[in-house]
């Protein structure tokens, strides 16, 4: 396992420094380079409140501690589970059956591979999707991806739900949109390129829950090896470790570690960013598993908070491009991607991915294609 640590990008510099300053330019370039090299970075943002994250985690723990019959009332399978709750053993890890993905795993050093997902049935995780989107001023071609939110039925949850979800979701959305601006500048594009492309995206605050009483045994896969289908994914601090990511071209598994304190968020590149950059930035592979650090956190939590549910919540936000946006590689970025690949071959390095083809399509079509792969849409 790698001892690599992810680069830390400081959003405070972007928000406070003059756009003409070296500090501003260098921080934007650092963000773009981190996404190219690692597909992920840690983002420091002083606006983000640890207290808001804890309030959010408490709410989601309480929600998923409810009986299954109450949770089922919040399911919307007819909408591809794109709002409301998705219960455990519904979503399949795409890589369990995806040929290119299985080849990526096969090419990794055995010591750096994810836990085996070839015999892995759907993930034992639950999820809630809460839209954080702006209604487009036009008729979207993809209404099921832009459906209204579901508010939980249970009285004890219902009253707290919307204000807490909106407050934390707004913090995450602001941070990731600013990072999208930084990445655009760092890649030599106009500042608004990505942010405008995602203005009407069906963004999702998407807390994921794993019952550690049922699934707290070492080497249990909570979320099998996969990439995210959206543009950028941003996470707050979880109470339980277990997220591993793989940096582009290194083939090394990196356990994600937040600094012990402070206002940090984790950002990962998704498939929409890969598509738009022509493969210059690759969607990052990752998994969530129960490991020794998870077990230690479980024991600590039992002692320090004996009355709280033992549920691992990931504080996750999926930032999307607008469903009706035309998704095709930006020529300047695609040229850089080809040059990077040629350099890697010249240096004798092996790119973990084969040459991908990024066909032009609407973002909504790309999302629907991916949802079918993971068994959330027929």
């Amino acid at each position: 396992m790698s001892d690599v640590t992810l680069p830390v990008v400081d959003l405070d510099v972007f928000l406070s420094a003059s756009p003409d300053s070296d500090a501003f330019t260098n921080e934007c370039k650092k963000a773009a380079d981190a996404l190219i090299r690692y597909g992920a970075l840690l983002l420091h943002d002083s606006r983000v409140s640890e207290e808001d994250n804890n309030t959010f985690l408490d709410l989601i723990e309480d929600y998923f501690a409810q009986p299954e019959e109450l949770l089922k009332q919040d399911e919307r399978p007819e909408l591809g589970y794109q709002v409301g709750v998705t219960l455990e053993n519904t979503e399949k890890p795409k890589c369990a059956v995806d040929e290119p993905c299985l080849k990526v795993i096969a090419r990794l050093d055995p010591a750096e591979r994810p836990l085996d997902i070839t015999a892995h049935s759907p993930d034992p995780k639950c999820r809630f999707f809460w839209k954080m989107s702006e209604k487009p001023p036009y008729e979207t071609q993809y209404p099921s991806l832009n459906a209204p939110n579901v508010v939980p039925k249970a009285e004890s949850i219902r009253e707290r739900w919307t204000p807490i979800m909106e407050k934390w979701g707004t913090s995450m959305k602001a941070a990731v949109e600013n990072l999208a601006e930084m990445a655009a500048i760092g890649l030599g594009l106009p500042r608004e390129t990505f942010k405008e492309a995602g203005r009407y995206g069906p963004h999702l605050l998407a807390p994921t829950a794993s019952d550690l009483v049922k699934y707290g045994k070492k080497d249990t896969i909570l979320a099998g090896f996969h990439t995210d289908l959206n543009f950028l994914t941003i996470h707050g601090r979880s109470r339980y470790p277990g997220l591993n990511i793989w940096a582009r071209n290194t083939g090394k598994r990196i356990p994600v570690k937040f600094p012990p304190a402070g206002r940090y968020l984790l950002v990962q590149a998704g498939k929409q960013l890969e598509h738009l950059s022509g493969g210059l930035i690759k969607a990052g592979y990752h998994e969530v598993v129960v490991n020794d650090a998870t077990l230690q956190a479980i024991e600590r939590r039992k002692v320090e908070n004996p009355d709280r549910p033992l549920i691992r919540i990931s504080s996750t936000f999926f930032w999307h491009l607008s469903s009706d946006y035309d998704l095709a590689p930006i020529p300047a970025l695609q040229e850089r991607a080809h040059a990077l690949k040629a350099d890697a071959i010249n240096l004798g390095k092996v790119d973990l991915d084969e040459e991908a083809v990024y066909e032009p399509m609407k973002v909504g079509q790309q999302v629907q294609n991916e949802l079918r792969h993971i068994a959330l849409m027929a």
Side-chain angles (χ1 to χ4, degrees), residues 219-239:
D219 289 344
T220 300
I221 299 172
L222 303 177
F225 189 72
H226 69 288
T227 55
D228 291 340
L229 64 84
N230 52 300
F231 189 82
L232 286 170
T233 302
I234 188 163
H235 307 263
R237 192 189 298 272
S238 175
R239 288 171 172 160

Side-chain angles (χ1 to χ4, degrees), residues 58 61-62 65 300-310:
D58 284 346
E61 284 178 359
D62 291 343
R300 206 163 47 243
R301 189 89 176 139
K302 281 180 184 172
V303 173
E304 293 172 5
N305 301 86
D307 300 330
R308 295 296 303 160
L310 275 177

Side-chain angles (χ1 to χ4, degrees), residues 37 50 55 68 87 119 135 147 169 225 231 263 274 284-285 288 301 328 368 378:
R37 187 165 178 201
E50 202 69 34
T55 303
E68 189 172 310
L87 295 181
K135 189 170 167 47
F225 189 72
F231 189 82
R263 301 175 177 202
E274 178 176 328
Y285 286 102
V288 181
R301 189 89 176 139
Q368 289 178 345

Side-chain angles (χ1 to χ4, degrees), residues 242-262:
L243 173 62
N244 295 320
I245 68 168
W246 278 259
R248 177 187 182 152
N249 291 343
T250 67
K252 300 291 184 190
R253 182 171 72 243
I254 304 171
V256 172
K257 290 177 186 159
F258 277 72

Side-chain angles (χ1 to χ4, degrees), residues 6-7 31-42 179 227-228 231-233 235 245-250 254 266-271 273-274 280-286:
L6 290 173
D33 290 348
L35 289 171
I36 292 169
R37 187 165 178 201
Y38 296 95
L41 55 85
L42 284 168
L179 180 72
T227 55
D228 291 340
F231 189 82
L232 286 170
T233 302
H235 307 263
I245 68 168
W246 278 259
R248 177 187 182 152
N249 291 343
T250 67
I254 304 171
L266 169 72
V267 181
Q268 292 173 281
K271 295 298 274 189
L273 178 50
E274 178 176 328
L280 177 63
I281 295 169
K282 288 284 177 72
Y285 286 102
H286 52 285

